[in-house]
Amino acid sequence: MSSITASYTSTAENRTFEQPISTENGTIDGLTAAIKSMQSDINQYLTSRMAANNENMDTSKEELEQEEGEEEDDEEELPHGRCHATVVNGV
């Protein structure tokens, strides 16, 4: 069976996503459905990473403000990563 994979790489972690390509409704329809499903999985993952990162930043910021006794700017640093996708033709 064929599948698509996407790899997310950042300084904090690496993650691989995989979706099978269904050929029941034709190859293009199956590929489209697999891509949409993978896109949803990746969006959920990245949203949870951003939420966790924002929580960590809020905690770190509060601790820093308590230690230094002064306010910091509200700049956010999001984790940088990249995503690479490939189509794998299974046997």
Side-chain angles (χ1 to χ4, degrees):
M1 176 178 269
S2 297
S3 65
I4 59 172
T5 60
S7 300
Y8 172 80
T9 305
S10 73
T11 56
E13 81 179 281
N14 298 327
R15 174 89 186 252
T16 300
F17 301 88
E18 185 172 2
Q19 286 290 329
I21 300 172
S22 173
T23 57
E24 292 178 14
N25 297 328
T27 304
I28 296 298
D29 290 339
L31 180 59
T32 301
I35 290 170
K36 287 180 180 180
S37 179
M38 181 173 287
Q39 180 181 13
S40 176
D41 291 348
I42 292 170
N43 285 342
Q44 288 175 352
Y45 169 74
L46 292 176
T47 299
S48 68
R49 290 255 325 180
M50 287 176 58
N53 187 52
N54 286 340
E55 287 176 12
N56 290 338
M57 288 183 63
D58 289 343
T59 301
S60 297
K61 183 178 174 183
E62 289 173 9
E63 291 171 356
L64 182 62
E65 287 175 357
Q66 288 175 357
E67 288 175 10
E68 295 180 1
E70 58 187 48
E71 297 283 325
E72 295 290 328
D73 293 335
D74 288 332
E75 293 182 24
E76 291 184 20
E77 291 184 27
L78 299 178
H80 296 284
R82 60 181 179 197
C83 189
H84 174 74
T86 57
V87 176
V88 178
N89 189 9
V91 184

